Amino acid sequence: MNSIADYYELPGLATNSMNKAKDILREEWSVDSLGDLLRESLGSTGDQRFFRMLSEIAADHFGEIADSHMLDESALAQGFAPYLLPVAIRSVMAAEAGRRDALRVSKDLNSRVKLLETHSSCQNITCGALSPQLEPDSLRSSYLLRCARCRCRHT
């Protein structure tokens, strides 16, 4: 259907075709289904939106695709790689950013725990409570050490 829409330049039919393929792949996912769809589509349509949509769905299944060796077929790899690689690169970059954020938060938490170990009481002279606590700082995605009684911040 997408190849007809592409050939006759029917954007509504192309969108309908793309949505139908997306629904089918999401509901009945299999590497074989994706491979069959790619084999049929690569030679019959030039609709880049269609291939980008397929690559977004494929991104959720990178491990399965790699394990299946589907992209060992040179025609599939050559035709699908320009759409799949940018998605893969964005996924790797997002994972790396998440890893860096988690590492930063972990280091911050460790430094606050060390501060908690060295200051068992509030540093505010007028308070002196023995109740420091860690609490999340949502503005900085980190943690604060505060006195539970007077709420002063310890650094």
Side-chain angles (χ1 to χ4, degrees), residues 26-84:
R26 289 203 191 273
E27 291 172 15
E28 302 172 26
W29 165 258
S30 77
V31 174
D32 294 334
S33 296
L34 177 66
D36 292 342
L37 186 57
L38 282 170
R39 283 181 202 90
E40 287 181 31
S41 302
L42 284 169
S44 62
T45 185
D47 185 355
Q48 294 183 357
R49 289 181 333 141
F50 183 75
F51 292 115
R52 280 194 290 274
M53 177 272 301
L54 291 178
S55 68
E56 293 293 333
I57 292 172
D60 295 333
H61 305 278
F62 279 144
E64 294 172 67
I65 292 169
D67 291 344
S68 75
H69 299 283
M70 178 185 79
L71 294 176
D72 289 354
E73 293 178 41
S74 62
L76 284 183
Q78 186 176 9
F80 198 42
Y83 303 98
L84 195 57

Side-chain angles (χ1 to χ4, degrees), residues 108 112 133-138 140 142-146 153-155:
D108 180 63
R112 300 298 182 229
Q133 65 186 27
L134 285 172
E135 64 181 46
D137 180 3
S138 58
R140 295 188 189 105
S142 63
Y143 290 86
L144 295 173
L145 183 60
R146 285 196 185 276
R153 181 175 154 191
H154 297 269
T155 56

